[in-house]
Amino acid sequence: MLIFVLFAFWPKEKPKTLEDFRWKNRLLLYFGQEIEKGWNIEDNLAEEINERKLVYLVFTDSLISNQELDFSKEYIISLQKKYAMGAKGPCWVLIGLDGGVKMRKEDVLGWDLVFKTIDAMPMRQSEIRRRGKL
């Protein structure tokens, strides 16, 4: 019993890389110069995000996320180089549970497109079927 209590209250390590999310969360990486009004996450949008196990990372002058992170400055720069790939304007990348890029758009973020894309993924379809059987 004591061991269980210790583990329950033991501080959890913050993710240090995107790999720490693999098979646990889908990722949405957003690269832009300014935070757009679309990042004002209201309750109903937060529910949709949580339902899809989605962690977002907004790369502007700082890093904003719905998850506590422990990314180094060097790692953040490497992510920007790898995924923004010289985009001239806003850009976003959707990464699946398997760590693979599912969609990349050089455009402002459209939550409807993000959710529609996730909902069409086979693993998400399986989650929906399981939830329906509960």
Side-chain angles (χ1 to χ4, degrees):
M1 179 75 168
L2 179 60
I3 292 173
F4 174 75
V5 171
L6 285 175
F7 280 110
F9 293 103
W10 195 265
K12 294 180 179 136
E13 260 192 64
K14 296 176 188 171
K16 295 181 184 334
T17 69
L18 296 185
E19 185 65 28
D20 294 336
F21 292 103
R22 186 174 281 197
W23 302 116
K24 297 175 204 150
N25 296 97
R26 295 172 180 93
L27 300 170
L28 178 68
L29 311 179
Y30 178 83
F31 303 93
Q33 297 303 316
E34 298 174 12
I35 296 176
E36 320 236 337
K37 66 178 184 165
W39 293 106
N40 183 11
I41 308 297
E42 298 187 14
D43 289 344
N44 60 339
L45 182 56
E47 285 178 35
E48 296 284 335
I49 290 168
N50 290 334
E51 159 98 20
R52 291 168 177 85
K53 299 188 227 174
L54 185 62
V55 171
Y56 59 80
L57 294 89
V58 181
F59 298 83
T60 59
D61 294 338
S62 60
L63 179 61
I64 300 168
S65 180
N66 59 335
Q67 177 84 26
E68 286 191 52
L69 307 168
D70 192 17
F71 288 3
S72 70
K73 288 182 182 182
E74 294 80 17
Y75 186 67
I76 291 170
I77 291 168
S78 74
L79 290 175
Q80 291 170 320
K81 286 180 183 175
K82 179 176 181 178
Y83 292 106
M85 294 186 268
K88 303 272 189 256
C91 168
W92 56 271
V93 179
L94 180 62
I95 299 174
L97 291 173
D98 63 358
V101 173
K102 305 304 177 187
M103 179 175 278
R104 182 182 182 280
K105 298 277 279 177
E106 288 192 35
D107 200 355
V108 294
L109 180 68
W111 285 109
D112 290 339
L113 178 58
V114 171
F115 295 151
K116 182 179 173 181
T117 303
I118 291 172
D119 290 346
M121 295 176 182
M123 291 185 77
R124 174 66 179 148
Q125 289 291 308
S126 178
E127 292 169 4
I128 292 169
R129 282 192 299 276
R130 276 194 310 261
R131 189 187 66 214
K133 292 180 182 179
L134 297 177

